[in-house]
Amino acid sequence: MTELVEQLKLDLDCEAVTNDLADKLPKPVGYRILIELPKVEETFVGSKIIKTSKEVSHDHIMTIIGKVLEIGNEAYSDTTRFPTGPWCKKGDYVIFRMNTGTRLTVEGQEYRIMNDDSVEAVVADPSGITRAH
């Protein structure tokens, strides 16, 4: 999982998203946020043992960290719920609960669309952060 998070910094560069891919990505509406998930390693950490497709899928589902790609036009606009303003912004690495949001895949990359209040933390450096087993 640590390699997965290390890969996050390499793979999740907003500027690197091609125009073609950007056109294919859904635009979050209302109070929703589009999050890009890190690519899941095909092998177990420290070995050459290949994961089963079920294990790879499990890693995607159980992911707790991602990068904010887009924020809906009404996200964080409720000043009663968010009196100090937005909890995150485009480009932030955020932590959220496992299984949060609507899962989708575009060109082999997994994304989630989740509610603005699903963000639990913002982290400057996601490397080394993994979910507890």
PDB file of all heavy atoms in Angstrom, residues 18-33:
ATOM      1  N   THR A  18      -4.502  14.911 -19.916  1.00  0.00           N
ATOM      2  CA  THR A  18      -4.612  15.397 -21.292  1.00  0.00           C
ATOM      3  C   THR A  18      -5.977  16.002 -21.535  1.00  0.00           C
ATOM      4  O   THR A  18      -6.943  15.709 -20.837  1.00  0.00           O
ATOM      5  CB  THR A  18      -4.396  14.237 -22.281  1.00  0.00           C
ATOM      6  OG1 THR A  18      -5.463  13.293 -22.109  1.00  0.00           O
ATOM      7  CG2 THR A  18      -3.059  13.556 -22.072  1.00  0.00           C
ATOM      8  N   ASN A  19      -6.069  16.858 -22.555  1.00  0.00           N
ATOM      9  CA  ASN A  19      -7.350  17.457 -22.902  1.00  0.00           C
ATOM     10  C   ASN A  19      -8.363  16.387 -23.255  1.00  0.00           C
ATOM     11  O   ASN A  19      -9.530  16.503 -22.911  1.00  0.00           O
ATOM     12  CB  ASN A  19      -7.190  18.444 -24.060  1.00  0.00           C
ATOM     13  CG  ASN A  19      -6.483  19.701 -23.625  1.00  0.00           C
ATOM     14  OD1 ASN A  19      -6.489  20.044 -22.452  1.00  0.00           O
ATOM     15  ND2 ASN A  19      -5.868  20.380 -24.564  1.00  0.00           N
ATOM     16  N   ASP A  20      -7.914  15.336 -23.952  1.00  0.00           N
ATOM     17  CA  ASP A  20      -8.806  14.252 -24.337  1.00  0.00           C
ATOM     18  C   ASP A  20      -9.400  13.587 -23.098  1.00  0.00           C
ATOM     19  O   ASP A  20     -10.604  13.372 -23.019  1.00  0.00           O
ATOM     20  CB  ASP A  20      -8.048  13.226 -25.187  1.00  0.00           C
ATOM     21  CG  ASP A  20      -8.949  12.125 -25.698  1.00  0.00           C
ATOM     22  OD1 ASP A  20     -10.050  12.448 -26.200  1.00  0.00           O
ATOM     23  OD2 ASP A  20      -8.549  10.949 -25.615  1.00  0.00           O
ATOM     24  N   LEU A  21      -8.566  13.272 -22.134  1.00  0.00           N
ATOM     25  CA  LEU A  21      -9.035  12.651 -20.900  1.00  0.00           C
ATOM     26  C   LEU A  21      -9.914  13.619 -20.120  1.00  0.00           C
ATOM     27  O   LEU A  21     -10.960  13.239 -19.602  1.00  0.00           O
ATOM     28  CB  LEU A  21      -7.866  12.188 -20.034  1.00  0.00           C
ATOM     29  CG  LEU A  21      -8.229  11.572 -18.684  1.00  0.00           C
ATOM     30  CD1 LEU A  21      -9.129  10.347 -18.863  1.00  0.00           C
ATOM     31  CD2 LEU A  21      -6.983  11.206 -17.917  1.00  0.00           C
ATOM     32  N   ALA A  22      -9.507  14.868 -20.053  1.00  0.00           N
ATOM     33  CA  ALA A  22     -10.288  15.873 -19.324  1.00  0.00           C
ATOM     34  C   ALA A  22     -11.696  15.978 -19.898  1.00  0.00           C
ATOM     35  O   ALA A  22     -12.659  16.171 -19.151  1.00  0.00           O
ATOM     36  CB  ALA A  22      -9.590  17.217 -19.361  1.00  0.00           C
ATOM     37  N   ASP A  23     -11.835  15.849 -21.199  1.00  0.00           N
ATOM     38  CA  ASP A  23     -13.158  15.900 -21.830  1.00  0.00           C
ATOM     39  C   ASP A  23     -14.014  14.700 -21.462  1.00  0.00           C
ATOM     40  O   ASP A  23     -15.235  14.779 -21.464  1.00  0.00           O
ATOM     41  CB  ASP A  23     -13.030  15.989 -23.356  1.00  0.00           C
ATOM     42  CG  ASP A  23     -12.480  17.327 -23.812  1.00  0.00           C
ATOM     43  OD1 ASP A  23     -12.535  18.293 -23.019  1.00  0.00           O
ATOM     44  OD2 ASP A  23     -11.982  17.395 -24.952  1.00  0.00           O
ATOM     45  N   LYS A  24     -13.374  13.569 -21.162  1.00  0.00           N
ATOM     46  CA  LYS A  24     -14.098  12.344 -20.824  1.00  0.00           C
ATOM     47  C   LYS A  24     -14.504  12.286 -19.350  1.00  0.00           C
ATOM     48  O   LYS A  24     -15.420  11.560 -18.989  1.00  0.00           O
ATOM     49  CB  LYS A  24     -13.249  11.111 -21.158  1.00  0.00           C
ATOM     50  CG  LYS A  24     -13.031  10.923 -22.630  1.00  0.00           C
ATOM     51  CD  LYS A  24     -12.154   9.723 -22.893  1.00  0.00           C
ATOM     52  CE  LYS A  24     -11.877   9.585 -24.382  1.00  0.00           C
ATOM     53  NZ  LYS A  24     -10.991   8.454 -24.643  1.00  0.00           N
ATOM     54  N   LEU A  25     -13.796  13.030 -18.511  1.00  0.00           N
ATOM     55  CA  LEU A  25     -14.090  12.993 -17.079  1.00  0.00           C
ATOM     56  C   LEU A  25     -15.400  13.712 -16.788  1.00  0.00           C
ATOM     57  O   LEU A  25     -15.681  14.757 -17.362  1.00  0.00           O
ATOM     58  CB  LEU A  25     -12.962  13.648 -16.279  1.00  0.00           C
ATOM     59  CG  LEU A  25     -11.642  12.906 -16.247  1.00  0.00           C
ATOM     60  CD1 LEU A  25     -10.595  13.733 -15.521  1.00  0.00           C
ATOM     61  CD2 LEU A  25     -11.794  11.549 -15.594  1.00  0.00           C
ATOM     62  N   PRO A  26     -16.184  13.156 -15.856  1.00  0.00           N
ATOM     63  CA  PRO A  26     -17.421  13.839 -15.485  1.00  0.00           C
ATOM     64  C   PRO A  26     -17.119  15.123 -14.722  1.00  0.00           C
ATOM     65  O   PRO A  26     -16.107  15.212 -14.033  1.00  0.00           O
ATOM     66  CB  PRO A  26     -18.128  12.819 -14.584  1.00  0.00           C
ATOM     67  CG  PRO A  26     -17.042  11.961 -14.050  1.00  0.00           C
ATOM     68  CD  PRO A  26     -15.978  11.923 -15.110  1.00  0.00           C
ATOM     69  N   LYS A  27     -17.955  16.098 -14.875  1.00  0.00           N
ATOM     70  CA  LYS A  27     -17.833  17.354 -14.141  1.00  0.00           C
ATOM     71  C   LYS A  27     -18.762  17.259 -12.931  1.00  0.00           C
ATOM     72  O   LYS A  27     -19.967  17.105 -13.088  1.00  0.00           O
ATOM     73  CB  LYS A  27     -18.241  18.550 -15.006  1.00  0.00           C
ATOM     74  CG  LYS A  27     -17.514  18.650 -16.326  1.00  0.00           C
ATOM     75  CD  LYS A  27     -16.045  18.928 -16.145  1.00  0.00           C
ATOM     76  CE  LYS A  27     -15.343  19.048 -17.480  1.00  0.00           C
ATOM     77  NZ  LYS A  27     -14.206  18.211 -17.636  1.00  0.00           N
ATOM     78  N   PRO A  28     -18.223  17.320 -11.728  1.00  0.00           N
ATOM     79  CA  PRO A  28     -19.096  17.227 -10.555  1.00  0.00           C
ATOM     80  C   PRO A  28     -20.049  18.420 -10.495  1.00  0.00           C
ATOM     81  O   PRO A  28     -19.663  19.535 -10.829  1.00  0.00           O
ATOM     82  CB  PRO A  28     -18.126  17.222  -9.377  1.00  0.00           C
ATOM     83  CG  PRO A  28     -16.887  17.852  -9.900  1.00  0.00           C
ATOM     84  CD  PRO A  28     -16.835  17.554 -11.373  1.00  0.00           C
ATOM     85  N   VAL A  29     -21.264  18.150 -10.105  1.00  0.00           N
ATOM     86  CA  VAL A  29     -22.270  19.205  -9.995  1.00  0.00           C
ATOM     87  C   VAL A  29     -22.683  19.369  -8.537  1.00  0.00           C
ATOM     88  O   VAL A  29     -22.460  18.498  -7.710  1.00  0.00           O
ATOM     89  CB  VAL A  29     -23.512  18.902 -10.869  1.00  0.00           C
ATOM     90  CG1 VAL A  29     -23.122  18.877 -12.336  1.00  0.00           C
ATOM     91  CG2 VAL A  29     -24.157  17.589 -10.468  1.00  0.00           C
ATOM     92  N   GLY A  30     -23.292  20.503  -8.251  1.00  0.00           N
ATOM     93  CA  GLY A  30     -23.792  20.732  -6.899  1.00  0.00           C
ATOM     94  C   GLY A  30     -22.679  20.704  -5.878  1.00  0.00           C
ATOM     95  O   GLY A  30     -21.639  21.322  -6.041  1.00  0.00           O
ATOM     96  N   TYR A  31     -22.881  19.930  -4.833  1.00  0.00           N
ATOM     97  CA  TYR A  31     -21.941  19.878  -3.721  1.00  0.00           C
ATOM     98  C   TYR A  31     -21.002  18.673  -3.804  1.00  0.00           C
ATOM     99  O   TYR A  31     -20.481  18.205  -2.813  1.00  0.00           O
ATOM    100  CB  TYR A  31     -22.704  19.879  -2.390  1.00  0.00           C
ATOM    101  CG  TYR A  31     -23.752  18.796  -2.296  1.00  0.00           C
ATOM    102  CD1 TYR A  31     -23.427  17.528  -1.834  1.00  0.00           C
ATOM    103  CD2 TYR A  31     -25.065  19.034  -2.689  1.00  0.00           C
ATOM    104  CE1 TYR A  31     -24.371  16.525  -1.764  1.00  0.00           C
ATOM    105  CE2 TYR A  31     -26.025  18.034  -2.615  1.00  0.00           C
ATOM    106  CZ  TYR A  31     -25.666  16.788  -2.154  1.00  0.00           C
ATOM    107  OH  TYR A  31     -26.609  15.797  -2.095  1.00  0.00           O
ATOM    108  N   ARG A  32     -20.748  18.195  -5.000  1.00  0.00           N
ATOM    109  CA  ARG A  32     -19.907  17.006  -5.165  1.00  0.00           C
ATOM    110  C   ARG A  32     -18.497  17.359  -5.625  1.00  0.00           C
ATOM    111  O   ARG A  32     -18.253  18.420  -6.183  1.00  0.00           O
ATOM    112  CB  ARG A  32     -20.578  16.031  -6.108  1.00  0.00           C
ATOM    113  CG  ARG A  32     -21.843  15.499  -5.452  1.00  0.00           C
ATOM    114  CD  ARG A  32     -22.510  14.411  -6.224  1.00  0.00           C
ATOM    115  NE  ARG A  32     -23.661  13.921  -5.492  1.00  0.00           N
ATOM    116  CZ  ARG A  32     -24.820  14.558  -5.399  1.00  0.00           C
ATOM    117  NH1 ARG A  32     -24.987  15.728  -5.956  1.00  0.00           N
ATOM    118  NH2 ARG A  32     -25.821  14.011  -4.732  1.00  0.00           N
ATOM    119  N   ILE A  33     -17.576  16.404  -5.385  1.00  0.00           N
ATOM    120  CA  ILE A  33     -16.160  16.574  -5.686  1.00  0.00           C
ATOM    121  C   ILE A  33     -15.701  15.371  -6.508  1.00  0.00           C
ATOM    122  O   ILE A  33     -16.090  14.242  -6.221  1.00  0.00           O
ATOM    123  CB  ILE A  33     -15.337  16.638  -4.377  1.00  0.00           C
ATOM    124  CG1 ILE A  33     -15.799  17.798  -3.508  1.00  0.00           C
ATOM    125  CG2 ILE A  33     -13.851  16.736  -4.661  1.00  0.00           C
ATOM    126  CD1 ILE A  33     -15.162  17.796  -2.128  1.00  0.00           C
TER     127      ILE A  33
END
